[in-house]
């Protein structure tokens, strides 16, 4: 699938700082240890609605990972998927009497525009579930042959399920106990009560075609893939086992990332699937998590589009003003503060001179390398801006140097 346009990332002089990130599986902040090519997979959207600020905050967090790795001289092999066939998409299309393919194409195009507006660096490979179906069916067939997947005993629809107890590693990503897993599985699209399964926690791998549903012919019979195996296969086939970072929102910790890892581990007999599991917090509005089911979404395209008129860089700064791992609120005051901060930064970073920038650039790097501490990174730039605006500093190269660092490391263009 076509990815979106990149923007140039300026080179920042001075020593970079290696990136440390919180890992959900080991529950600690640990150094990332990429080779020359750093590898990252971030779960993409299901394109049935426009990009809201919760999505934006997630992709922004991983954009910073991308940028800090680039600063450290790594190439970044970043893969993202688009779940362009799944129940929520088909349900929305049915509700609106729309063609699901057209709906998916339209919303994916809007997502690309939003990502470009927010200056989020694109993945090297942007892969739709539909285009990955031959890869997925091959893996599901192997899991069936290996006895870790099975068909439910339903003659009309012998769907394929994964035996969650197939490896000893199940649970090592989320660290959840079984009652928690069962509750989250039921809440987040699982089907614990489906008759014929070996265990309520076993997830769907391949859904046989029902009348009126899209399906693809394959060695498994006509049908379509489950969501977890989609990401598992797309990541595994491009990045291999033990890639550097598996990312997404914190609502993907379970079941999605646990099962994506489990499928790949059962297939290869190797562990771990990813070396870091990194999760972004949820963005709330009026005291509740921003989500489709609550209908309390703020769309990036509406904010920046006609009638909104908000500078996407202000949206970016507003989201960066909180730590990526914390659940936080979107408020008008947050956007106002970011708009005013952006104006201050613009004026100081485009001035003919300012205080020397080297220390500020070093602080930016230190804070970002420390589990993406954007709050302190922004304060470091604020301190320089405030000095510059009070007329101190006569270094003619400083504004341009810091402007390049803010662009490269924070992705904020002034
Ligand atoms: Zn995923």
């Amino acid at each position: 699938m076509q990815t979106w346009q990149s923007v140039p990332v300026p080179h920042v002089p001075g020593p970079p700082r290696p990136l440390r990130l919180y890992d959900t599986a080991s529950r600690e902040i640990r150094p990332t240890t990429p080779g020359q090519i750093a590898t990252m997979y971030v779960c993409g959207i299901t394109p049935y609605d426009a990009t809201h600020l919760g999505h934006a905050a997630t992709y922004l967090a991983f954009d910073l990972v991308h940028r800090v790795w680039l600063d450290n001289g790594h190439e970044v092999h970043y893969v993202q998927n688009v779940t362009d066939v799944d129940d929520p998409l088909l349900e929305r299309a049915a509700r609106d009497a729309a063609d699901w393919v057209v709906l998916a194409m339209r919303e994916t195009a809007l997502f690309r525009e939003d990502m470009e507006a927010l200056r989020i660096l694109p993945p090297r490979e942007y892969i739709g579930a539909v285009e990955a179906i031959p890869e997925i069916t091959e893996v599901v067939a192997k899991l069936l042959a290996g006895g870790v997947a099975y068909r439910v005993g339903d003659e009309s629809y012998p769907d394929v399920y994964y035996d969650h107890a197939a490896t000893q590693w199940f649970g090592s990503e989320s660290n959840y106990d079984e009652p928690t897993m069962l509750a989250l599985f039921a809440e987040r699209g699982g089907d614990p009560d489906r008759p014929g399964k070996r265990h309520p926690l076993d997830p769907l791998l391949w859904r046989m075609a029902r009348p009126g549903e899209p399906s693809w012919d394959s060695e498994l019979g006509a049908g379509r893939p489950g969501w977890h195996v989609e990401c598992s296969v797309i990541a595994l086939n491009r990045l291999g086992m033990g890639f550097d970072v598996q990312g997404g929102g914190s609502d993907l910790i379970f079941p999605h990332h646990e099962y994506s890892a489990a499928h790949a581990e059962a297939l290869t007999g190797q562990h771990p699937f990813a070396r870091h599991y990194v999760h972004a917090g949820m963005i709330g509005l009026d005291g509740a998590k921003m989500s489709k089911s609550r209908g309390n979404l703020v769309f990036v395209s509406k904010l920046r589009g006609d009638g909104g008129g908000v500078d996407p860089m202000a949206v970016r700064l507003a989201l960066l003003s909180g730590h990526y791992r914390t659940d936080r609120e979107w408020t008008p005051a947050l956007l106002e503060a970011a708009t005013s901060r952006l104006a201050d930064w613009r004026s100081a970073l485009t001035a003919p001179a300012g205080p020397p920038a080297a220390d500020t650039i070093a602080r930016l790097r230190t804070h970002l390398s420390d589990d993406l501490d954007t709050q302190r990174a922004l304060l470091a730039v604020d301190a320089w801006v405030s000095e510059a605006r009070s007329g101190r500093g006569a270094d003619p190269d400083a504004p341009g140097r810091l402007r390049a660092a803010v662009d490269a490391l924070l992705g904020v263009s002034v």
Side-chain angles (χ1 to χ4, degrees):
M1 190 168 279
Q2 184 198 338
T3 185
W4 58 91
Q5 288 289 316
S6 192
V7 286
V9 179
H11 172 72
V12 186
R17 296 280 299 223
L19 178 63
R20 297 165 56 83
L21 282 177
Y22 182 82
D23 168 35
T24 300
S26 61
R27 293 181 275 194
E28 61 181 0
I29 295 174
R30 293 193 291 112
T32 60
T33 51
Q36 174 51 32
I37 300 179
T39 46
M40 173 163 72
Y41 183 90
V42 180
C43 291
I45 56 164
T46 301
Y48 63 100
D49 214 336
T51 318
H52 61 72
L53 287 170
H55 296 131
T58 295
Y59 299 113
L60 183 51
F62 295 98
D63 188 52
L64 298 180
V65 173
H66 196 159
R67 288 171 181 278
V68 175
W69 277 341
L70 288 176
D71 188 44
N72 277 274
H74 299 287
E75 281 176 57
V76 181
H77 189 171
Y78 174 18
V79 179
Q80 189 181 130
N81 69 310
V82 188
T83 304
D84 56 358
V85 60
D86 202 7
D87 294 341
L89 173 66
L90 301 176
E91 284 160 14
R92 176 61 62 94
R95 189 199 78 177
D96 297 349
D99 181 326
W100 67 274
V101 176
V102 174
L103 174 64
M105 285 175 65
R106 187 181 71 216
E107 296 302 342
T108 304
L110 189 57
F111 175 73
R112 288 192 196 99
E113 284 176 26
D114 287 337
M115 293 296 102
E116 284 177 12
L118 292 169
R119 301 184 88 243
I120 289 173
L121 299 172
R124 183 186 288 184
E125 296 185 89
Y126 192 44
I127 309 292
V130 170
E131 62 187 325
I133 283 176
E135 302 174 41
I136 298 169
T137 56
E138 190 186 330
V139 166
V140 173
K142 280 184 186 159
L143 293 171
L144 267 173
V148 296
Y150 60 94
R151 290 185 185 269
V152 293
D154 177 331
E155 283 173 19
S156 329
Y157 302 114
D159 301 331
V160 182
Y161 280 78
Y162 172 76
D163 181 342
H164 80 290
T167 75
Q168 73 270 35
W169 300 302
F170 186 74
S172 62
E173 180 267 338
S174 65
N175 298 296
Y176 293 152
D177 59 17
E178 190 167 302
T180 307
M181 288 181 178
L182 278 166
L184 289 173
F185 187 65
E187 191 182 303
R188 295 174 179 166
D191 53 358
D193 302 325
R194 168 85 192 260
K197 296 206 300 183
R198 288 181 191 165
H199 190 281
L201 276 178
D202 292 353
L204 177 77
L205 289 171
W206 185 255
R207 177 178 165 90
M208 301 296 281
R210 268 61 165 180
E213 288 187 5
S215 65
W216 288 263
D217 286 328
S218 82
E219 59 200 295
L220 304 166
R224 60 184 165 95
W227 176 37
H228 315 308
V229 72
E230 166 195 335
C231 282
S232 191
V233 171
I234 292 174
L236 182 65
N237 283 351
R238 285 156 190 83
L239 303 176
M241 287 300 283
F243 60 91
D244 291 301
V245 165
Q246 157 77 304
S250 59
D251 53 349
L252 300 189
I253 293 174
F254 193 91
H256 187 55
H257 285 173
E258 191 76 64
Y259 288 122
S260 293
H263 298 333
E265 289 169 347
L267 183 77
T268 62
Q270 293 169 34
H271 172 84
F273 179 52
R275 291 195 276 174
H276 265 79
Y277 294 92
V278 180
H279 295 104
M282 299 286 114
I283 302 295
L285 189 72
D286 304 327
K289 174 192 151 185
M290 219 175 263
S291 70
K292 312 273 193 233
S293 50
R294 290 194 179 87
N296 62 343
L297 304 178
V298 177
F299 294 111
V300 175
S301 44
K302 286 232 172 87
L303 275 178
R304 66 182 172 84
D306 293 343
V310 174
D311 187 324
M313 291 301 96
V315 176
R316 191 165 172 121
L317 272 180
L319 291 170
L320 291 177
S321 68
H323 191 259
Y324 81 96
R325 272 198 287 128
T326 55
D327 292 341
R328 51 207 201 272
E329 281 279 299
W330 180 260
T331 61
L334 192 70
L335 185 57
E336 269 171 44
T339 305
S340 144
R341 176 179 252 156
L342 181 63
D344 290 349
W345 284 22
R346 273 203 173 122
S347 105
L349 291 170
T350 56
D359 284 356
T360 306
I361 293 172
R363 286 176 63 196
L364 250 182
R365 280 180 160 133
T366 299
H367 297 317
L368 286 177
S369 69
D370 179 15
D371 196 29
L372 307 176
D373 188 347
T374 52
Q375 290 163 299
R376 295 173 76 189
L378 299 198
L379 291 176
V381 179
D382 284 346
W384 183 92
V385 164
S386 142
E387 250 194 274
R389 281 164 60 81
S390 67
R392 284 196 288 277
D395 180 348
D397 296 328
R401 279 200 187 128
L402 186 54
R403 192 167 69 236
V406 162
D407 180 341
L409 299 170
L410 292 172
V412 175
S413 165
V414 301

